[in-house]
């Protein structure tokens, strides 16, 4: 009850701030959608609808704000709107609109939020504020679950907030691993020692929490993240010592069952859980071939009555692959659009770093682009075994890259110096 009252008070105060600045409503929406604090409090209808209220306020701010600016039409924005159109058509022509509607509703809500980020996050200050809100939101679970892992000496399996997209231990592991590079960027870009300590503490405990999830996919994502940080760091020796110290200290108290579970990574073909996923991937691909253009409908490959159409007979089972989930549910065009958006964001990060490497005033953009690229790589590998394609954290990062590129292009645009009149004589 105390937790509910505290959250009610904080949420009410946050909503009151929306009238001071339109962008605050978007930050509140991101906070409520990423952290989902209402999942850890009970007994309040207000909290149950707080996310919806934040969304309405954000959309109102976007449409009526005097400084709103439509995003430019480029490769990414074209793919983004094309993807929205495709999943909408997939729902209209779904084999079972009732069963596929929940996933479609969740996905389209995430994409609407992503669009508001694209439209409203148009300056360095707004990007910094957005990243801090995101980091604190997902970092709450990094801190609490990291401390839990330490307190139980790794005996308990860490999971996320109940009833959310990251409630599963595997999903939470990838989300935390993907957020760690953002914490590293916030640590480097902050001048206040308290902010630096906060960012470092969240990132450290998040790494421990990833280990505490007992997730094999999370361990692989963590390995990608660590390797990327070492490659991106200028002080590689110091970074290596710090990372090895954190991970080594964590592994020193993990129980034997953790090492036994991680040891099965090298013999996946003998693992029943992994082979079950392979069977689900095969079913998703076969269902996609039934309607290559629009797919069969979101998540219908989870249901035996539809997998039986392609000769696959088993109980209700998740796809465990974000790419194949889109392929089966929305068809090959949506599948390629999804991958193309990820690839565009990834390569744009490299372009941003090339444009800003010799600009001291844009060092923050150079550093952020590197960390965004690493986060996208961690996510891209992690969701090869997870159905996490509509997690807002992933779309938020791509929208940050989209706007970061626009900011950098404006700053590095060459100034045209008019020729003297004699040149025209």
């Amino acid at each position: 009850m105390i937790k509910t009252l505290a959250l009610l008070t904080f949420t009410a105060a946050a909503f009151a701030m929306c009238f001071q600045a339109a962008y605050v409503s978007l930050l509140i929406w991101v906070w409520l959608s990423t952290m989902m604090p209402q999942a850890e409090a009970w007994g309040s209808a207000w909290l149950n609808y707080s996310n919806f209220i934040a969304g309405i306020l954000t959309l109102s701010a976007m449409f009526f704000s005097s400084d709103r600016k439509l995003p430019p039409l480029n490769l990414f924005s074209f793919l983004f709107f094309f993807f929205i159109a495709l999943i909408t058509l997939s729902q209209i022509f779904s084999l079972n609109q009732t069963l596929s509607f929940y996933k479609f509703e969740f996905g389209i809500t995430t994409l609407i939020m992503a669009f508001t980020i694209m439209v409203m996050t148009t300056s360095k200050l707004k990007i910094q504020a957005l990243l801090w809100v995101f980091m604190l939101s997902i970092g709450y679970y990094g801190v609490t679950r990291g401390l839990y892992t330490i307190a139980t000496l790794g005996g308990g399996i860490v999971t996320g907030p109940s009833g959310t997209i990251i409630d599963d231990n595997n999903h939470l592991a990838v989300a935390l691993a993907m957020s760690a590079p953002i914490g590293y960027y916030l640590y480097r870009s902050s001048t206040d020692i308290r902010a630096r300590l906060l960012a470092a503490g969240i990132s450290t405990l998040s790494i421990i929490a990833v280990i505490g999830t007992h997730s094999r996919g999370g361990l692989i994502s963590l390995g990608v993240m660590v390797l990327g940080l070492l490659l991106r760091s200028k002080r590689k020796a110091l970074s290596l010592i710090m990372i090895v110290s954190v991970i080594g200290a964590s592994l020193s108290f993990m129980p034997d069952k953790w090492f036994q579970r991680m040891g099965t990574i090298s013999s996946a073909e003998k693992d029943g859980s992994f082979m079950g996923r392979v069977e689900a991937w095969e079913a998703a691909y076969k269902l996609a071939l039934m309607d290559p253009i629009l797919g069969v409908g979101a998540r219908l490959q989870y249901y035996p009555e539809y997998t039986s159409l392609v000769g696959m007979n088993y109980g209700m089972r998740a796809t465990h692959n974000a790419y194949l989930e889109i392929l089966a549910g929305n068809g090959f065009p949506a599948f390629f659009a999804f991958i193309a958006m990820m690839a565009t964001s990834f390569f744009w990060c490299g372009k941003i770093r090339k444009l800003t490497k010799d600009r001291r005033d844009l060092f923050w953009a150079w550093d952020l682009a590197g960390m965004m690229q690493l986060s996208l790589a961690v996510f891209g590998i992690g969701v090869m075994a997870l159905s996490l394609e509509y997690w807002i954290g992933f779309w938020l990062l791509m929208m940050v890259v989209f706007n970061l590129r626009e900011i950098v292009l404006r700053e590095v645009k060459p100034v045209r110096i008019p020729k003297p009149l004699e040149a025209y004589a």
Side-chain angles (χ1 to χ4, degrees):
M1 188 62 181
I2 295 177
K3 183 186 291 186
T4 301
L5 289 174
L7 184 56
L8 273 171
T9 302
F10 186 83
T11 305
F15 277 126
M17 294 176 62
C18 293
F19 299 98
Q20 301 296 321
Y23 193 68
V24 173
S25 59
L26 175 60
L27 298 179
I28 295 173
W29 197 12
V30 170
W31 164 55
L32 292 172
S33 300
T34 305
M35 181 179 169
M36 296 293 289
Q38 53 272 48
E40 298 203 341
W42 301 271
S44 172
W46 165 265
L47 288 177
N48 293 334
Y49 288 100
S50 58
N51 205 336
F52 175 77
I53 296 171
I56 295 299
L57 289 174
T58 303
L59 292 175
S60 300
M62 181 181 67
F63 284 113
F64 297 107
S65 176
S66 58
D67 61 346
R68 68 182 185 278
K69 184 179 179 181
L70 292 177
L73 182 60
N74 52 36
L75 177 59
F76 182 90
S77 58
F78 170 78
L79 290 168
F80 179 70
F81 295 124
F82 181 57
F83 183 75
I84 291 176
L86 288 171
I87 68 168
T88 303
L89 289 172
S90 295
Q91 172 59 21
I92 293 173
F93 294 99
S94 170
L95 295 182
N96 190 321
Q97 292 185 354
T98 302
L99 290 179
S100 62
F101 180 74
Y102 173 77
K103 180 64 175 180
F104 167 75
E105 181 185 32
F106 183 86
I108 203 68
T109 301
T110 299
L111 295 175
I112 291 173
M113 183 188 295
F115 177 69
T116 61
I117 295 172
M118 178 189 286
V119 172
M120 300 178 70
T121 310
T122 54
S123 67
K124 176 187 176 181
L125 178 61
K126 290 180 178 180
I127 287 177
Q128 291 289 107
L130 181 67
L131 292 178
W132 267 112
V133 168
F134 171 71
M135 189 62 191
L136 292 172
S137 299
I138 189 65
Y140 168 80
Y141 297 107
V143 171
T144 55
R145 275 49 174 181
L147 292 175
Y148 173 80
T149 299
I150 295 172
T152 61
L153 298 179
I157 296 179
V158 166
T159 58
S162 178
T164 69
I165 194 173
I166 57 171
D167 62 350
D168 180 79
N169 64 315
N170 299 295
H171 290 195
L172 180 65
V174 172
L176 291 175
M178 191 186 81
S179 67
I182 301 173
Y184 185 72
Y185 162 75
L186 293 173
Y187 168 81
R188 285 166 58 93
S189 64
S190 299
T191 56
D192 190 299
I193 185 62
R194 292 166 297 184
R196 289 169 64 88
L197 290 174
L198 179 62
I202 291 175
S203 297
T204 300
L205 287 170
S206 293
I207 291 173
I208 297 174
V210 171
I211 296 174
T213 61
H214 292 228
S215 170
R216 291 167 292 187
L219 183 65
I220 294 173
S221 296
L222 185 62
V224 174
M225 187 273 294
V226 169
L227 178 61
L229 281 181
L230 291 176
L231 293 175
R232 291 292 189 204
S233 176
K234 289 186 175 181
R235 300 179 179 179
K236 289 182 172 53
L238 178 60
S239 298
L240 180 62
I241 292 173
M242 293 176 63
I243 292 173
V244 169
S245 298
V246 172
I247 296 179
S250 303
L251 296 180
S252 67
F253 59 72
M254 295 303 290
D256 291 340
K257 64 178 182 180
W258 185 91
F259 291 96
Q260 292 170 1
R261 180 171 175 79
M262 297 305 114
T264 62
I265 294 176
S266 59
S267 56
E269 70 280 356
K270 299 179 182 179
D271 181 72
S273 175
F274 177 78
M275 295 311 296
R277 295 189 179 198
V278 172
E279 189 178 29
W281 298 343
E282 182 183 357
Y285 180 72
K286 288 183 176 180
L287 281 170
L289 295 179
M290 288 182 60
D291 188 343
I293 305 302
L294 294 176
V296 296
R299 285 201 170 178
L300 292 190
Q301 68 272 20
Y302 281 41
Y303 298 91
E305 57 265 42
Y306 294 101
T307 55
S308 64
L309 296 176
V310 291
M312 306 288 289
N313 296 298
Y314 54 75
M316 184 118 175
R317 184 180 299 169
T319 307
H320 293 294
N321 186 297
Y323 308 107
L324 290 175
E325 182 147 312
I326 290 175
L327 179 65
N330 309 118
F332 281 87
F335 166 76
F336 287 120
F338 182 76
I339 292 179
M341 281 189 286
M342 293 183 66
T344 299
S345 299
F346 185 86
F347 288 113
W348 274 2
C349 287
K351 182 66 174 179
I352 291 169
R353 286 174 66 84
K354 288 182 180 180
L355 291 173
T356 57
K357 65 179 181 179
D358 297 322
R359 292 283 298 267
R360 293 179 60 87
D361 58 323
L362 292 175
F363 174 78
W364 70 275
W366 178 87
D367 196 22
L368 177 57
M371 294 301 102
M372 292 291 102
Q373 196 172 46
L374 177 54
S375 291
L376 289 170
V378 171
F379 183 86
I381 293 174
V383 296
M384 292 180 71
L386 298 175
S387 304
L388 204 57
E389 65 275 12
Y390 288 124
W391 182 53
I392 184 56
F394 162 64
W395 292 93
L396 178 148
L397 294 189
M398 289 204 295
M399 297 306 141
V400 167
V401 173
F402 178 90
N403 285 303
L404 180 63
R405 175 178 178 269
E406 292 302 312
I407 293 172
V408 168
L409 289 178
R410 288 198 302 267
E411 292 294 325
V412 302
K413 185 177 181 180
V415 179
R416 294 186 63 183
I417 303 176
K419 296 180 180 180
L421 293 178
E422 307 85 71
Y424 297 94

